[in-house]
Amino acid sequence: NAGVTQTPKFRILKIGQSMTLQCTQDMNHNYMYWYRQDPGMGLKLIYYSVGAGITDKGEVPNGYNVSRSTTEDFPLRLELAAPSQTSVYFCASSYPGRGAKNIQYFGAGTRLSVL
Amino acid sequence: DAKTTQPNSMESNEEEPVHLPCNHSTISGTDYIHWYRQLPSQGPEYVIHGLTSNVNNRMASLAIAEDRKSSTLILHRATLRDAAVYYCILRDREAGGTSYGKLTFGQGTILTVHP
């Protein structure tokens, strides 16, 4: 299994450009998440999804949009890139439920710079 | 969400045990204690979790205080590969609850391992 795959690994954007960060998982997980991590800080939740067609906002959703048309894919869209969105973005997935199922698996991240 | 408190940094020598503390005095009865770690330039990875009893797995041990207000992650023999940021996180028992299984990351403990 590949687990959680994120593309691209690195990207530089100009202010006002748009882009989509791709995330796909092959573990048939219902739940998927997008986090951002600023330098020296912990991760903050941007959006999450509990299944295909269902998404909801996390702590820091402004400037981002998501969609979940399939179980496997959870793309994150930046419409008008701003320098404040310079960060490392992590996608994660998990099963719902208790105990050992309640574990999140993370991708390797996308490093984004907005100049 | 109940919060956790961890030291900003700790140091260890290779092949020595490491005890990483975490305080969570406002933990609720339905919160699991999860530990994740983040190696340099990688996404977080799950280490271990527990509810009331001490837990062991191939990566580490988790010792939970009787009143559950604190816990300690134990790496029995630190290696250079264990140098990472370690996050102690409280999670609602079921990811399907109102928290939808989101992980609330603090700043964690930076573990440095000396050869």
Side-chain angles (χ1 to χ4, degrees):
Chain A
N1 286 347
V4 179
T5 303
Q6 293 184 237
T7 56
K9 290 187 176 3
F10 304 94
R11 184 71 184 269
I12 298 174
L13 283 182
K14 294 182 179 179
I15 295 171
Q17 286 186 320
S18 60
M19 76 165 293
T20 299
L21 283 67
Q22 301 292 345
C23 175
T24 188
Q25 53 93 7
D26 62 359
M27 296 174 282
N28 202 32
H29 286 167
N30 298 89
Y31 288 9
M32 295 188 74
Y33 312 83
W34 274 105
Y35 296 88
R36 60 175 286 173
Q37 185 175 33
D38 298 330
M41 306 296 288
L43 283 70
K44 293 184 178 180
L45 184 65
I46 305 172
Y47 271 95
Y48 65 93
S49 169
V50 300
I54 306 170
T55 63
D56 209 344
K57 297 177 181 179
E59 300 174 72
V60 289
N62 291 343
Y64 307 95
N65 280 300
V66 293
S67 60
R68 183 97 182 269
S69 57
T70 67
T71 299
E72 295 78 19
D73 299 307
F74 190 40
L76 178 71
R77 179 85 177 160
L78 282 70
E79 290 294 350
L80 291 170
S84 61
Q85 293 178 305
T86 294
S87 191
V88 182
Y89 292 83
F90 292 101
C91 179
S93 71
S94 73
Y95 287 113
R98 299 185 180 191
K101 290 187 176 182
N102 197 359
I103 294 170
Q104 287 188 19
Y105 297 85
F106 285 80
T110 294
R111 284 154 182 77
L112 176 67
S113 293
V114 181
L115 305 174
Chain B
D1 291 338
K3 291 188 176 180
T4 62
T5 304
Q6 299 177 252
N8 289 333
S9 62
M10 293 186 66
E11 297 187 17
S12 174
N13 294 318
E14 202 174 8
E15 298 192 4
E16 290 184 354
V18 180
H19 290 234
L20 297 166
C22 181
N23 288 321
H24 30 77
S25 59
T26 60
I27 191 170
S28 76
T30 57
D31 284 336
Y32 275 90
I33 302 159
H34 282 241
W35 284 81
Y36 282 72
R37 72 179 185 180
Q38 187 173 19
L39 302 174
S41 300
Q42 295 190 27
E45 64 175 347
Y46 167 81
V47 177
I48 199 167
H49 75 281
L51 186 62
T52 56
S53 303
N54 294 345
V55 184
N56 299 299
N57 67 20
R58 64 175 180 82
M59 291 180 71
S61 295
L62 177 60
I64 301 173
E66 195 169 334
D67 63 5
R68 300 209 326 126
K69 293 185 177 182
S70 65
S71 61
T72 302
L73 179 71
I74 302 167
L75 307 179
H76 295 286
R77 290 183 65 198
T79 68
L80 296 178
R81 196 189 174 281
D82 291 321
V85 181
Y86 286 78
Y87 297 99
C88 170
I89 301 168
L90 301 182
R91 299 193 69 190
D92 193 87
R93 177 180 292 176
E94 294 187 14
T98 55
S99 68
Y100 287 106
K102 73 180 179 75
L103 293 172
T104 300
F105 286 83
Q107 292 192 259
T109 296
I110 301 171
L111 176 64
T112 301
V113 180
H114 299 289

